[in-house]
Coordinates of all heavy atoms in Angstrom, one line a residue:
M1 N -21.0 -31.4 8.8 CA -20.3 -32.3 9.7 C -18.9 -32.6 8.9 O -17.9 -32.8 9.7 CB -21.1 -33.6 9.7 CG -22.1 -33.7 10.6 SD -21.7 -34.1 12.2 CE -21.2 -35.9 12.1
G2 N -18.8 -32.6 7.7 CA -17.7 -32.7 7.1 C -16.5 -31.8 7.3 O -15.3 -32.0 7.2
A3 N -16.9 -30.6 7.6 CA -15.9 -29.5 8.0 C -15.3 -29.8 9.5 O -14.2 -29.5 9.7 CB -16.6 -28.1 8.0
M4 N -16.2 -30.4 10.3 CA -15.8 -30.7 11.7 C -15.0 -32.0 11.8 O -14.1 -32.1 12.6 CB -16.9 -30.8 12.6 CG -17.6 -29.4 12.8 SD -18.8 -29.4 14.0 CE -20.3 -30.0 13.1
Y5 N -15.4 -33.0 11.1 CA -14.8 -34.4 11.1 C -14.4 -34.8 9.6 O -15.3 -34.9 8.8 CB -15.7 -35.3 11.7 CG -16.1 -35.0 13.1 CD1 -17.5 -34.5 13.3 CD2 -15.3 -35.1 14.2 CE1 -18.0 -34.1 14.5 CE2 -15.8 -34.7 15.4 CZ -17.2 -34.3 15.6 OH -17.6 -33.9 16.8
S6 N -13.2 -34.9 9.3 CA -12.8 -35.3 7.9 C -13.3 -36.7 7.6 O -13.6 -36.9 6.4 CB -11.3 -35.2 7.8 OG -10.7 -36.2 8.7
W7 N -13.5 -37.5 8.4 CA -14.0 -38.9 8.1 C -15.5 -39.0 7.8 O -16.1 -40.0 7.3 CB -13.7 -39.9 9.2 CG -14.2 -39.4 10.6 CD1 -13.5 -38.7 11.5 CD2 -15.5 -39.7 11.1 NE1 -14.2 -38.5 12.6 CE2 -15.5 -39.1 12.4 CE3 -16.7 -40.2 10.6 CZ2 -16.6 -39.0 13.2 CZ3 -17.8 -40.1 11.4 CH2 -17.8 -39.6 12.7
A8 N -16.3 -37.8 8.2 CA -17.8 -37.9 8.2 C -18.2 -37.4 6.8 O -18.8 -36.4 6.6 CB -18.3 -37.0 9.2
T9 N -18.0 -38.4 5.8 CA -18.6 -38.1 4.5 C -20.1 -38.6 4.5 O -20.5 -39.2 5.4 CB -17.8 -39.0 3.4 OG1 -18.1 -40.4 3.7 CG2 -16.3 -38.7 3.4
P10 N -20.8 -37.9 3.6 CA -22.4 -38.2 3.6 C -22.5 -39.7 3.3 O -23.4 -40.3 4.0 CB -22.8 -37.4 2.4 CG -21.8 -36.2 2.2 CD -20.5 -36.8 2.7
S11 N -21.8 -40.4 2.6 CA -22.0 -41.8 2.2 C -21.7 -42.6 3.5 O -22.4 -43.6 3.9 CB -21.2 -42.3 1.1 OG -19.9 -42.1 1.3
Y12 N -20.6 -42.2 4.3 CA -20.3 -43.0 5.5 C -21.3 -42.7 6.5 O -21.8 -43.7 7.1 CB -19.0 -42.5 6.1 CG -18.5 -43.2 7.2 CD1 -17.9 -44.4 7.3 CD2 -18.9 -42.7 8.6 CE1 -17.6 -45.2 8.4 CE2 -18.6 -43.5 9.7 CZ -17.9 -44.6 9.7 OH -17.6 -45.3 10.8
M13 N -21.9 -41.6 6.7 CA -22.8 -41.3 7.7 C -24.1 -42.0 7.4 O -24.8 -42.7 8.3 CB -23.1 -39.8 7.8 CG -22.0 -39.1 8.5 SD -22.3 -37.5 9.0 CE -22.5 -36.6 7.3
L14 N -24.6 -42.0 6.1 CA -25.7 -42.8 5.7 C -25.6 -44.3 5.9 O -26.6 -44.9 6.2 CB -26.3 -42.4 4.3 CG -26.7 -41.0 4.1 CD1 -26.7 -40.7 2.6 CD2 -28.0 -40.8 4.7
D15 N -24.5 -44.8 5.5 CA -24.3 -46.3 5.6 C -23.9 -46.7 6.9 O -24.2 -48.0 7.2 CB -23.2 -46.8 4.6 CG -23.6 -46.4 3.2 OD1 -24.8 -46.2 2.8 OD2 -22.7 -46.3 2.3
H16 N -23.3 -46.1 7.7 CA -22.6 -46.7 9.1 C -23.2 -46.1 10.3 O -22.8 -46.6 11.3 CB -21.1 -46.6 8.9 CG -20.7 -47.4 7.8 ND1 -20.5 -48.7 7.7 CD2 -20.1 -46.9 6.7 CE1 -20.0 -49.1 6.6 NE2 -19.7 -48.0 5.9
M17 N -24.0 -45.0 10.2 CA -24.4 -44.3 11.5 C -25.8 -44.2 11.7 O -26.5 -44.0 10.6 CB -23.6 -42.9 11.5 CG -22.2 -42.9 11.5 SD -21.4 -41.4 11.5 CE -21.7 -40.8 13.2
S18 N -26.2 -44.3 12.8 CA -27.7 -44.0 13.0 C -28.0 -42.4 13.3 O -27.0 -41.6 13.5 CB -28.1 -44.6 14.4 OG -27.5 -44.2 15.5
F19 N -29.1 -42.1 13.1 CA -29.4 -40.6 13.3 C -29.1 -40.0 14.7 O -28.5 -39.0 14.8 CB -30.9 -40.4 13.0 CG -31.3 -38.8 13.0 CD1 -30.8 -38.1 11.9 CD2 -31.9 -38.3 14.1 CE1 -31.1 -36.7 11.9 CE2 -32.2 -37.0 14.1 CZ -31.8 -36.2 12.9
P20 N -29.3 -40.7 15.8 CA -28.9 -40.3 17.1 C -27.3 -40.1 17.1 O -26.7 -39.1 17.8 CB -29.3 -41.3 18.1 CG -30.5 -41.9 17.4 CD -30.1 -41.9 15.9
Q21 N -26.5 -41.0 16.6 CA -25.1 -40.8 16.5 C -24.7 -39.7 15.7 O -23.7 -38.9 16.1 CB -24.5 -42.0 15.8 CG -24.4 -43.2 16.6 CD -23.9 -44.5 16.0 OE1 -24.2 -44.7 14.8 NE2 -22.9 -45.3 16.6
I22 N -25.3 -39.4 14.5 CA -25.0 -38.3 13.7 C -25.2 -36.9 14.6 O -24.4 -36.1 14.6 CB -25.8 -38.2 12.4 CG1 -25.4 -39.4 11.6 CG2 -25.7 -36.8 11.7 CD1 -26.2 -39.6 10.4
M23 N -26.4 -36.9 15.3 CA -26.7 -35.8 16.1 C -25.8 -35.6 17.2 O -25.3 -34.4 17.6 CB -28.1 -35.8 16.6 CG -29.2 -35.6 15.4 SD -29.0 -34.4 14.4 CE -29.1 -32.9 15.4
M24 N -25.2 -36.7 17.9 CA -24.3 -36.5 19.0 C -23.0 -35.9 18.4 O -22.5 -34.9 19.1 CB -24.1 -38.0 19.5 CG -23.0 -37.9 20.6 SD -22.4 -39.5 21.1 CE -21.5 -40.0 19.7
Y25 N -22.4 -36.4 17.3 CA -21.2 -35.9 16.8 C -21.4 -34.5 16.3 O -20.5 -33.6 16.6 CB -20.7 -36.6 15.6 CG -19.9 -37.9 16.0 CD1 -20.5 -39.1 16.1 CD2 -18.6 -37.8 16.5 CE1 -19.8 -40.3 16.4 CE2 -17.8 -38.9 16.8 CZ -18.4 -40.2 16.8 OH -17.7 -41.2 17.2
Y26 N -22.6 -34.1 15.8 CA -22.9 -32.7 15.5 C -22.7 -31.9 16.7 O -22.3 -30.7 16.7 CB -24.2 -32.6 14.8 CG -24.6 -31.2 14.3 CD1 -23.9 -30.7 13.1 CD2 -25.4 -30.5 14.9 CE1 -24.2 -29.5 12.7 CE2 -25.9 -29.3 14.5 CZ -25.2 -28.7 13.4 OH -25.5 -27.4 13.0
D27 N -23.4 -32.2 17.8 CA -23.5 -31.4 19.1 C -22.2 -31.2 19.6 O -21.8 -30.2 20.0 CB -24.5 -32.0 20.1 CG -25.9 -32.0 19.7 OD1 -26.2 -31.0 18.8 OD2 -26.7 -32.7 20.2
Y28 N -21.3 -32.4 19.6 CA -19.9 -32.3 20.0 C -19.1 -31.3 19.2 O -18.3 -30.6 19.8 CB -19.2 -33.5 20.1 CG -19.7 -34.6 21.1 CD1 -19.5 -36.0 21.1 CD2 -20.4 -34.2 22.3 CE1 -19.9 -36.9 22.0 CE2 -20.8 -35.0 23.3 CZ -20.6 -36.4 23.1 OH -20.9 -37.2 24.1
G29 N -19.3 -31.4 18.0 CA -18.5 -30.5 17.1 C -18.9 -29.0 17.3 O -18.1 -28.1 17.4
L30 N -20.1 -28.7 17.5 CA -20.7 -27.3 17.7 C -20.1 -27.0 19.1 O -19.7 -25.7 19.2 CB -22.1 -27.2 17.8 CG -22.8 -27.2 16.4 CD1 -24.3 -27.1 16.5 CD2 -22.4 -26.1 15.6
E31 N -20.1 -27.7 20.1 CA -19.6 -27.3 21.3 C -18.1 -27.0 21.3 O -17.6 -26.1 21.9 CB -19.8 -28.6 22.4 CG -19.3 -28.2 23.7 CD -19.5 -29.3 24.8 OE1 -20.4 -30.1 24.5 OE2 -18.8 -29.4 25.8
H32 N -17.4 -27.8 20.6 CA -15.9 -27.6 20.3 C -15.6 -26.3 19.6 O -14.8 -25.4 20.0 CB -15.2 -28.7 19.5 CG -13.9 -28.5 19.2 ND1 -12.9 -28.7 20.2 CD2 -13.2 -28.3 18.1 CE1 -11.7 -28.4 19.6 NE2 -11.9 -28.1 18.3
E33 N -16.4 -26.0 18.6 CA -16.3 -24.8 17.8 C -16.6 -23.6 18.7 O -16.0 -22.5 18.7 CB -17.2 -24.8 16.6 CG -16.8 -25.6 15.5 CD -15.5 -25.5 15.0 OE1 -15.0 -24.2 14.9 OE2 -14.5 -26.4 14.7
E34 N -17.6 -23.7 19.6 CA -18.1 -22.6 20.5 C -16.9 -22.3 21.5 O -16.5 -21.1 21.8 CB -19.3 -22.9 21.3 CG -19.8 -21.9 22.1 CD -21.1 -22.2 22.9 OE1 -22.0 -23.0 22.2 OE2 -21.3 -21.7 23.9
N35 N -16.2 -23.4 22.1 CA -15.1 -23.2 23.0 C -13.9 -22.6 22.3 O -13.3 -21.6 22.8 CB -14.6 -24.5 23.5 CG -15.7 -25.2 24.5 OD1 -16.5 -24.4 25.1 ND2 -15.6 -26.4 24.7
K36 N -13.7 -22.9 20.9 CA -12.6 -22.2 20.3 C -12.9 -20.8 20.0 O -12.0 -20.0 20.2 CB -12.4 -23.0 18.9 CG -11.6 -24.2 18.9 CD -11.2 -24.8 17.6 CE -11.7 -24.3 16.5 NZ -11.4 -24.9 15.2
S37 N -14.1 -20.4 19.7 CA -14.4 -19.0 19.5 C -14.3 -18.2 20.8 O -13.9 -17.0 20.7 CB -15.8 -18.9 18.8 OG -16.8 -19.2 19.7
N38 N -14.8 -18.8 21.9 CA -14.6 -18.0 23.1 C -13.2 -17.8 23.5 O -12.9 -16.7 24.0 CB -15.3 -18.8 24.3 CG -16.9 -18.8 24.1 OD1 -17.4 -17.9 23.6 ND2 -17.4 -19.7 24.8
I39 N -12.3 -18.8 23.2 CA -10.9 -18.6 23.4 C -10.3 -17.4 22.6 O -9.6 -16.6 23.0 CB -10.2 -20.0 23.3 CG1 -10.5 -20.9 24.4 CG2 -8.6 -19.7 23.3 CD1 -10.1 -22.4 24.1
L40 N -10.7 -17.5 21.3 CA -10.2 -16.5 20.3 C -10.6 -15.1 20.8 O -9.8 -14.1 20.8 CB -10.7 -16.8 19.0 CG -10.3 -15.8 17.8 CD1 -8.8 -15.8 17.7 CD2 -10.9 -16.2 16.6
V41 N -11.9 -15.0 21.2 CA -12.5 -13.7 21.5 C -11.7 -13.1 22.8 O -11.3 -12.0 22.9 CB -13.9 -13.7 21.7 CG1 -14.4 -12.4 22.3 CG2 -14.6 -13.9 20.4
G42 N -11.5 -14.0 23.7 CA -10.8 -13.6 25.0 C -9.4 -13.2 24.7 O -8.9 -12.2 25.2
R43 N -8.7 -14.0 23.7 CA -7.3 -13.4 23.3 C -7.3 -12.2 22.7 O -6.5 -11.3 22.7 CB -6.5 -14.6 22.4 CG -6.5 -16.0 23.1 CD -5.8 -16.0 24.4 NE -4.5 -15.2 24.5 CZ -3.8 -14.7 25.5 NH1 -4.4 -14.9 26.7 NH2 -2.7 -14.2 25.4
L44 N -8.3 -12.0 21.8 CA -8.4 -10.7 20.9 C -8.6 -9.5 22.0 O -8.0 -8.5 21.7 CB -9.4 -10.8 19.9 CG -9.2 -11.4 18.7 CD1 -10.4 -11.6 17.9 CD2 -8.0 -10.8 17.9
A45 N -9.4 -9.8 22.9 CA -9.8 -8.7 23.8 C -8.5 -8.4 24.7 O -8.2 -7.2 24.9 CB -10.9 -9.3 24.9
V46 N -7.7 -9.3 25.0 CA -6.4 -9.0 25.8 C -5.5 -8.3 24.9 O -4.9 -7.3 25.2 CB -5.8 -10.3 26.3 CG1 -4.4 -10.1 26.8 CG2 -6.7 -10.9 27.4
G47 N -5.4 -8.7 23.7 CA -4.3 -8.2 22.6 C -4.8 -6.8 22.1 O -3.8 -5.9 22.1
L48 N -6.0 -6.6 21.8 CA -6.4 -5.4 21.2 C -6.8 -4.3 22.2 O -6.6 -3.1 21.9 CB -7.5 -5.6 20.2 CG -7.1 -6.5 18.9 CD1 -8.3 -6.6 18.1 CD2 -6.0 -5.8 18.2
F49 N -7.6 -4.7 23.3 CA -8.1 -3.7 24.1 C -7.5 -3.7 25.5 O -8.0 -2.9 26.2 CB -9.6 -4.0 24.2 CG -10.3 -4.1 22.9 CD1 -10.8 -5.2 22.4 CD2 -10.4 -3.0 22.1 CE1 -11.3 -5.4 21.2 CE2 -10.9 -3.1 20.8 CZ -11.5 -4.3 20.3
G50 N -6.5 -4.6 25.7 CA -5.7 -4.4 27.0 C -6.7 -5.0 28.2 O -6.5 -4.7 29.3
A51 N -7.6 -5.8 27.9 CA -8.4 -6.4 28.9 C -7.7 -7.3 30.0 O -6.6 -7.8 29.6 CB -9.5 -7.3 28.3
K52 N -8.0 -7.3 31.1 CA -7.4 -8.1 32.1 C -7.5 -9.5 31.8 O -8.7 -10.0 31.6 CB -7.9 -7.7 33.6 CG -7.6 -6.3 34.0 CD -6.1 -6.2 34.3 CE -5.9 -4.7 34.8 NZ -4.7 -4.3 34.9
E53 N -6.4 -10.3 31.9 CA -6.5 -11.6 31.7 C -6.9 -12.4 33.0 O -6.4 -12.1 34.1 CB -5.1 -12.2 31.2 CG -5.1 -12.8 30.0 CD -3.8 -13.4 29.4 OE1 -2.7 -12.7 29.7 OE2 -3.8 -14.6 29.1
Q54 N -7.6 -13.4 32.9 CA -8.1 -14.2 34.1 C -6.9 -15.0 34.5 O -6.2 -15.6 33.6 CB -9.2 -15.1 33.9 CG -10.5 -14.3 33.6 CD -11.7 -15.3 33.3 OE1 -11.6 -16.5 33.2 NE2 -12.8 -14.8 33.2
P55 N -6.7 -15.3 35.7 CA -5.4 -16.0 36.1 C -5.7 -17.5 35.7 O -6.7 -18.0 35.8 CB -5.5 -15.9 37.8 CG -6.7 -15.3 38.1 CD -7.2 -14.7 36.9
K56 N -4.5 -18.1 35.4 CA -4.6 -19.3 34.8 C -4.8 -20.4 36.1 O -4.3 -20.2 37.1 CB -3.3 -19.8 34.2 CG -3.1 -18.9 33.0 CD -2.5 -19.8 31.9 CE -2.1 -18.9 30.8 NZ -3.0 -18.8 29.6
K57 N -5.6 -21.3 35.9 CA -5.8 -22.4 37.0 C -4.5 -23.2 37.1 O -4.0 -23.6 36.2 CB -7.0 -23.2 36.6 CG -8.3 -22.5 36.5 CD -9.5 -23.5 36.2 CE -10.7 -22.7 36.0 NZ -11.8 -23.6 35.4
E58 N -4.3 -23.5 38.4 CA -3.1 -24.4 38.5 C -3.5 -25.8 38.3 O -4.8 -26.2 38.5 CB -2.7 -24.3 40.0 CG -2.0 -23.0 40.3 CD -1.3 -23.0 41.6 OE1 -1.0 -24.0 42.1 OE2 -1.3 -22.0 42.3
R59 N -2.6 -26.6 37.8 CA -2.9 -28.0 37.5 C -2.9 -28.7 38.7 O -2.2 -28.6 39.6 CB -1.9 -28.5 36.5 CG -1.9 -28.0 35.2 CD -0.9 -28.4 34.2 NE -1.2 -29.8 34.0 CZ -0.2 -30.7 33.5 NH1 1.0 -30.2 33.2 NH2 -0.6 -32.0 33.2
R60 N -4.0 -29.7 38.8 CA -4.1 -30.5 40.0 C -3.2 -31.7 39.8 O -3.1 -32.3 38.7 CB -5.5 -31.0 40.2 CG -6.4 -29.9 40.6 CD -7.8 -30.5 41.0 NE -8.6 -30.1 39.9 CZ -9.7 -30.7 39.7 NH1 -10.2 -31.6 40.3 NH2 -10.6 -30.2 38.7
V61 N -2.6 -32.0 40.8 CA -1.5 -33.2 40.8 C -1.8 -34.0 41.9 O -2.2 -33.8 43.1 CB -0.1 -32.6 41.1 CG1 0.9 -33.8 41.1 CG2 0.4 -31.6 40.0
R62 N -2.0 -35.4 41.5 CA -2.5 -36.3 42.5 C -1.2 -36.8 43.3 O -0.1 -36.7 42.9 CB -2.9 -37.6 41.7 CG -4.3 -37.4 41.2 CD -4.8 -38.6 40.6 NE -6.2 -38.4 40.0 CZ -6.7 -39.0 39.0 NH1 -6.0 -40.0 38.5 NH2 -7.8 -38.7 38.5
G63 N -1.5 -37.2 44.5 CA -0.3 -37.7 45.4 C 0.4 -36.6 45.9 O 0.0 -35.4 46.2
D64 N 1.8 -36.8 46.1 CA 2.6 -35.9 46.7 C 3.3 -34.9 45.8 O 4.0 -34.0 46.2 CB 3.7 -36.6 47.4 CG 4.5 -37.5 46.6 OD1 4.4 -37.5 45.5 OD2 5.5 -38.1 47.1
G65 N 2.9 -34.9 44.6 CA 3.4 -34.0 43.5 C 4.6 -34.5 42.9 O 5.2 -33.9 41.8
N66 N 5.2 -35.7 43.3 CA 6.4 -36.2 42.7 C 6.0 -36.9 41.4 O 5.3 -38.0 41.4 CB 7.2 -37.2 43.7 CG 8.4 -37.8 43.0 OD1 8.8 -37.3 42.0 ND2 8.9 -38.8 43.8
Q67 N 6.3 -36.4 40.2 CA 5.7 -36.9 39.0 C 6.9 -37.7 38.2 O 6.7 -38.0 37.1 CB 5.4 -35.7 38.1 CG 4.2 -35.1 38.6 CD 3.0 -35.9 38.5 OE1 2.6 -36.5 37.5 NE2 2.3 -36.2 39.7
T68 N 8.0 -38.1 38.9 CA 9.0 -38.8 38.3 C 8.6 -40.2 38.3 O 8.1 -40.8 39.3 CB 10.4 -38.8 39.0 OG1 10.2 -39.1 40.3 CG2 10.8 -37.4 38.9
P69 N 8.6 -41.1 37.2 CA 8.2 -42.4 37.1 C 9.1 -43.4 37.8 O 10.4 -43.2 38.0 CB 8.2 -42.7 35.5 CG 9.3 -41.8 35.0 CD 9.1 -40.5 35.9
D70 N 8.5 -44.4 38.4 CA 9.2 -45.4 39.1 C 9.4 -46.5 38.2 O 8.6 -47.4 37.9 CB 8.3 -45.8 40.2 CG 9.1 -46.9 41.1 OD1 10.2 -47.2 40.9 OD2 8.5 -47.4 42.1
R71 N 10.6 -46.4 37.5 CA 10.9 -47.5 36.4 C 11.1 -48.9 37.0 O 10.5 -49.8 36.3 CB 12.4 -47.0 35.8 CG 12.3 -45.8 35.0 CD 13.6 -45.5 34.4 NE 13.7 -46.5 33.4 CZ 14.3 -46.3 32.2 NH1 14.6 -45.0 31.8 NH2 14.4 -47.1 31.2
A72 N 11.6 -49.1 38.1 CA 11.7 -50.4 38.7 C 10.3 -51.0 38.9 O 10.1 -52.1 38.6 CB 12.4 -50.3 40.0
A73 N 9.4 -50.2 39.5 CA 8.0 -50.8 39.6 C 7.3 -51.1 38.4 O 6.6 -52.0 38.1 CB 7.2 -49.7 40.6
F74 N 7.5 -50.1 37.3 CA 6.9 -50.3 36.1 C 7.4 -51.6 35.3 O 6.7 -52.4 34.8 CB 7.2 -49.1 35.2 CG 6.7 -49.2 33.8 CD1 5.3 -48.9 33.6 CD2 7.4 -49.7 32.7 CE1 4.8 -48.9 32.4 CE2 6.8 -49.7 31.6 CZ 5.5 -49.3 31.3
H75 N 8.8 -51.8 35.4 CA 9.3 -53.0 34.8 C 8.9 -54.4 35.5 O 8.7 -55.3 35.0 CB 10.8 -52.9 34.7 CG 11.3 -52.1 33.5 ND1 11.2 -52.5 32.3 CD2 11.8 -50.7 33.6 CE1 11.6 -51.4 31.5 NE2 12.0 -50.4 32.3
K76 N 8.7 -54.2 36.9 CA 8.3 -55.3 37.6 C 6.8 -55.7 37.2 O 6.5 -56.9 37.2 CB 8.3 -55.1 39.2 CG 8.0 -56.1 40.0 CD 8.0 -55.7 41.5 CE 7.5 -56.8 42.4 NZ 7.5 -56.5 43.8
Q77 N 6.0 -54.6 37.0 CA 4.6 -55.0 36.7 C 4.4 -55.4 35.2 O 3.7 -56.3 34.9 CB 3.8 -53.9 37.0 CG 2.3 -54.0 36.6 CD 1.3 -53.7 37.8 OE1 1.8 -53.2 38.7 NE2 0.1 -54.1 37.5
Y78 N 5.2 -54.7 34.3 CA 4.9 -54.8 32.9 C 6.2 -55.5 32.1 O 6.1 -55.5 30.9 CB 4.5 -53.6 32.3 CG 3.3 -53.0 32.8 CD1 3.3 -51.9 33.7 CD2 2.0 -53.5 32.6 CE1 2.2 -51.4 34.2 CE2 0.9 -52.9 33.1 CZ 0.9 -51.9 33.9 OH -0.3 -51.4 34.5
G79 N 7.1 -55.8 32.7 CA 8.4 -56.1 32.1 C 8.3 -57.2 30.9 O 8.9 -57.1 30.0
E80 N 7.5 -58.3 31.2 CA 7.3 -59.3 30.2 C 6.5 -58.8 29.0 O 6.6 -59.4 28.0 CB 6.6 -60.5 30.8 CG 7.4 -61.2 31.9 CD 8.7 -61.7 31.5 OE1 8.8 -62.2 30.5 OE2 9.7 -61.5 32.2
R81 N 5.6 -57.8 29.3 CA 4.7 -57.4 28.1 C 5.4 -56.3 27.3 O 4.8 -55.8 26.3 CB 3.4 -57.0 28.7 CG 2.7 -58.1 29.1 CD 1.2 -57.8 29.5 NE 1.3 -57.6 31.0 CZ 0.2 -57.0 31.8 NH1 -0.9 -56.8 31.0 NH2 0.3 -56.9 32.9
I82 N 6.5 -55.6 27.8 CA 7.1 -54.6 27.1 C 7.7 -55.2 25.7 O 8.4 -55.9 25.8 CB 8.1 -53.8 27.9 CG1 7.4 -53.3 29.1 CG2 8.8 -52.6 27.0 CD1 8.4 -52.7 30.1
K83 N 7.3 -54.4 24.5 CA 7.8 -54.8 23.2 C 8.8 -53.8 22.8 O 8.6 -52.7 22.8 CB 6.7 -54.9 22.3 CG 5.8 -56.1 22.7 CD 4.6 -56.3 21.7 CE 3.6 -57.5 22.2 NZ 2.6 -57.7 21.2
R84 N 10.0 -54.3 22.4 CA 11.0 -53.3 21.9 C 11.5 -53.9 20.5 O 11.4 -55.0 20.3 CB 12.2 -53.4 23.0 CG 11.9 -52.9 24.3 CD 13.0 -52.8 25.1 NE 12.9 -52.4 26.4 CZ 12.6 -53.2 27.5 NH1 12.7 -54.5 27.3 NH2 12.3 -52.8 28.7
P85 N 12.0 -52.9 19.7 CA 12.5 -53.2 18.5 C 13.9 -54.1 18.7 O 14.3 -54.0 19.6 CB 12.8 -52.0 17.8 CG 12.9 -50.9 18.8 CD 12.0 -51.5 20.0
E86 N 14.2 -54.8 17.6 CA 15.4 -55.6 17.7 C 16.5 -54.7 18.1 O 16.8 -53.7 17.4 CB 15.7 -56.3 16.3 CG 14.6 -57.3 16.0 CD 14.9 -58.6 16.7 OE1 16.0 -58.8 17.1 OE2 13.8 -59.3 17.1
G87 N 17.3 -55.1 19.1 CA 18.4 -54.3 19.4 C 18.1 -53.0 20.2 O 18.8 -52.0 20.2
G88 N 16.9 -52.8 20.6 CA 16.3 -51.6 21.3 C 17.1 -51.5 22.7 O 17.7 -52.3 23.1
G89 N 16.8 -50.3 23.2 CA 17.4 -49.9 24.5 C 16.8 -50.5 25.6 O 16.1 -51.3 25.5
S90 N 17.0 -49.9 26.7 CA 16.5 -50.4 28.0 C 15.1 -50.3 28.3 O 14.3 -49.5 28.1 CB 17.3 -49.8 29.2 OG 17.3 -48.5 29.3

């Protein structure tokens, strides 16, 4: 566990975590490592053996695809709660 999560020292896990929590983090860590190894093997196959790359999936965009922020609406909704440093910009 310590190799997957730097905060997971044996004393921390014994003092602050239940056994099901430890097993959950362990399973998540193994799943992450398996995904990393699958990506690495795929990249090696493309680089060394000329394997065909699978086409990349297009990113889904909600709405009409216009991703520019609406500053006026943002400031209208959150204007009083926006915290800026002294002499900060707009």
Side-chain angles (χ1 to χ4, degrees):
M1 283 276 292
M4 293 185 278
Y5 306 104
S6 60
W7 53 265
T9 61
S11 61
Y12 180 84
M13 289 190 297
L14 288 172
D15 295 338
H16 300 286
M17 296 177 74
S18 67
F19 186 70
Q21 285 177 318
I22 293 171
M23 293 310 298
M24 179 192 71
Y25 277 102
Y26 182 75
D27 289 341
Y28 286 162
L30 284 181
E31 184 179 336
H32 176 71
E33 292 297 322
E34 184 178 328
N35 289 338
K36 279 188 355 184
S37 67
N38 287 338
I39 291 169
L40 176 63
V41 167
R43 298 307 308 158
L44 285 172
V46 169
L48 295 176
F49 307 113
K52 295 285 184 189
E53 246 183 305
Q54 294 180 354
K56 301 218 186 260
K57 295 178 184 174
E58 288 190 30
R59 293 178 65 195
R60 286 187 256 164
V61 179
R62 291 185 177 150
D64 61 357
N66 181 10
Q67 294 292 306
T68 56
D70 185 359
R71 290 183 71 136
F74 181 82
H75 283 285
K76 182 179 176 184
Q77 177 126 11
Y78 300 105
E80 298 298 317
R81 291 188 262 173
I82 298 173
K83 296 182 181 182
R84 296 186 183 94
E86 294 284 329
S90 57

